[in-house]
Amino acid sequence: MTLGSGGSSVVVPRNFRLLEELERGEKGIGDGTVSYGMDDGDDIYMRSWTGTIIGPHNSVHEGRIYQLKLFCDKDYPEKPPSVRFHSRINMTSVNHETGVVEPKKFRPLANWQREYTMEDILTQLKKEMAAPHNRKLVQPPEGTYF
């Protein structure tokens, strides 16, 4: 996020940006089917996060609760976080053995911009679940993990 007028802009420092994201994520997003928060409140670098997505209606994911791990390295938000499903899922952009969301197969990570947030990633993953190429894929048993 940059602020400014005319030719100048101010880059919001990493920790301020992550504090904003933390506040938003803990409130729940939109209809409450996507949320995220820090794994360890004592981590002053705010690196490790857990996200939750409740599967979209009219898909094989409906009603399922998916947990993800997001890791924001020191260069976040200049570079995207790493994203990995903890809950087993069958999606075209997710490595079937590790649960890692593969950046080359998931547009928000492949075309990362500093303005994108963890919220954007989670909401786009939910939309991807409902996409025609994912919404009817056979899924692993509910409650299994990578």
Side-chain angles (χ1 to χ4, degrees):
M1 178 187 294
T2 58
L3 306 171
S5 59
S8 65
S9 65
V10 176
V11 175
V12 176
R14 177 184 182 278
N15 278 11
F16 288 175
R17 160 74 178 266
L18 286 169
L19 285 169
E20 287 176 13
E21 290 197 51
L22 176 63
E23 186 176 329
R24 246 185 100 70
E26 288 183 337
K27 288 181 181 174
I29 301 159
D31 61 4
T33 60
V34 173
S35 64
Y36 60 96
M38 285 180 51
D39 284 344
D40 179 1
D42 293 331
D43 177 8
I44 62 170
Y45 298 108
M46 304 175 78
R47 295 171 292 205
S48 188
W49 299 70
T50 295
T52 303
I53 300 172
I54 298 175
H57 296 296
N58 301 319
S59 74
V60 294
H61 307 283
E62 184 169 357
R64 286 184 170 219
I65 299 172
Y66 294 98
Q67 287 190 340
L68 301 88
K69 296 293 182 182
L70 298 99
F71 187 81
C72 299
D73 215 345
K74 64 184 182 300
D75 50 7
Y76 179 84
E78 298 301 327
K79 293 188 178 168
S82 59
V83 184
R84 181 180 62 83
F85 274 85
H86 179 58
S87 306
R88 281 202 169 277
I89 189 168
N90 185 11
M91 282 177 62
T92 56
S93 58
V94 177
N95 181 296
H96 298 290
E97 294 182 16
T98 63
V100 170
V101 177
E102 298 180 358
K104 292 178 182 173
K105 296 180 179 179
F106 184 60
R107 188 169 297 163
L109 296 180
N111 301 323
W112 183 258
Q113 295 180 26
R114 189 180 209 287
E115 295 78 31
Y116 292 174
T117 64
M118 287 181 275
E119 174 182 340
D120 294 327
I121 292 169
L122 295 170
T123 54
Q124 286 302 314
L125 281 168
K126 182 179 175 189
K127 285 181 184 175
E128 189 78 8
M129 289 176 186
H133 56 277
N134 283 317
R135 75 169 176 240
K136 293 185 179 180
L137 290 177
V138 175
Q139 295 300 310
E142 197 166 356
T144 57
Y145 302 95
F146 286 104

